[in-house]
Amino acid sequence: MRKLLDKTLVVASHNAGKIREIRDLIGPLGFAAKSAADLNFVEPEETGTTFEENATIKALASAKAAGLPALSDDSGLVVDALGGAPGVYTANWAEREDGSRDFAMAMEKVEKALKEKGATTPDSRTARFVSVLCLAWPDGHVELFRGEVEGKVVWPPRGTSGFGYDPVFQPEGYDITFGEMSAEEKHGWKPGEAKALSHRARAFKLFAETCLGA
Ligand SMILES: O=c1nc[nH]c2c1ncn2[C@H]1C[C@H](O)[C@@H](COP(=O)(O)OP(=O)(O)OP(=O)(O)O)O1
Ligand SMILES: [Mg+2]
């Protein structure tokens, strides 16, 4: 495992909601971070078939372009009744023909697919959010960290916090969705704490412990 010595890194993402969450998580650790979006880096094509492959593609592209370590996140919603869909294609399900994104439409698509499978009872709607973080250096070295959170897809959507599919995801043990939680509640983690809640915070905790000793 390579330690991260620099205190400057690039957040290798173009998703504003995700960049905000990663900034929240790294801020207390004393990092200054620009995002790939701030730096006008082109979005690399996510041609992989796993979260790990896509996270690696994104982190390496930013690390090489910036000459700095870069941290990417590839994530998605894995729904059991849909055979794991949308999975690595979670962002694609939100894409309109003009390339813009519509997550209200994406959540409707998931709901429609679940109805088609007859998955109407809470027990038949189990799902998990997965986040794979990749820390890449300009020399090509990479470290990967995976976090998952189990829960259920609910309908109708509830809450306006967070981003993406947050309003339809209710984590196990809670009666509110990620969309009804503050950012702090959704992360459920601060440096040094033993537990984290969100998939991203769980992966981030591994990253912080492994590469930062935090
Ligand atoms: O905590 C989350 N809460 C709600 N939805 C989420 C979350 N985490 C991932 N998601 C969904 C939306 C996102 O669009 C897709 C990931 O797709 P993914 O390719 O990794 O990210 P992206 O294209 O939005 O940004 P980028 O690749 O520039 O980092 O899964
Ligand atoms: Mg993407």
Side-chain angles (χ1 to χ4, degrees), residues 89-163:
Y89 305 106
T90 300
N92 305 49
W93 281 36
E95 245 157 55
R96 290 199 170 283
E97 270 171 36
D98 66 3
S100 65
R101 286 186 181 176
D102 180 344
F103 284 99
M105 174 193 79
M107 291 187 284
E108 302 249 10
K109 273 193 203 169
V110 170
E111 181 58 21
K112 185 165 174 274
L114 279 169
K115 284 226 175 74
E116 279 167 13
K117 297 277 180 200
T120 48
T121 60
D123 284 352
S124 62
R125 298 168 62 94
T126 53
R128 66 204 53 77
F129 263 130
V130 177
S131 162
V132 172
L133 294 175
C134 179
L135 178 64
W137 280 262
D139 69 1
H141 183 83
V142 297
E143 302 278 355
L144 291 160
F145 310 94
R146 189 183 182 102
E148 301 191 6
V149 58
E150 300 290 329
K152 287 190 166 76
V153 175
V154 299
W155 196 260
R158 304 196 315 258
T160 54
S161 306
F163 68 99

Side-chain angles (χ1 to χ4, degrees), residues 13-15 18 46 58 101 163 166 186 199-200:
S13 174
H14 287 79
N15 176 322
K18 193 192 274 188
E46 297 178 32
K58 291 186 277 191
R101 286 186 181 176
F163 68 99
D166 278 342
K186 180 182 168 186
H199 49 314
R200 188 161 295 106

Side-chain angles (χ1 to χ4, degrees), residues 142-214:
V142 297
E143 302 278 355
L144 291 160
F145 310 94
R146 189 183 182 102
E148 301 191 6
V149 58
E150 300 290 329
K152 287 190 166 76
V153 175
V154 299
W155 196 260
R158 304 196 315 258
T160 54
S161 306
F163 68 99
Y165 297 70
D166 278 342
V168 292
F169 186 81
Q170 187 167 296
E172 214 169 80
Y174 291 77
D175 56 15
I176 57 173
T177 67
F178 273 169
E180 295 174 299
M181 292 185 187
S182 65
E184 296 73 45
E185 274 181 286
K186 180 182 168 186
H187 299 315
W189 180 81
K190 288 194 181 66
E193 280 182 3
K195 276 196 173 169
L197 177 59
S198 78
H199 49 314
R200 188 161 295 106
R202 286 178 179 177
F204 196 84
K205 177 178 176 299
L206 289 178
F207 156 69
E209 290 166 353
T210 309
C211 289
L212 306 173

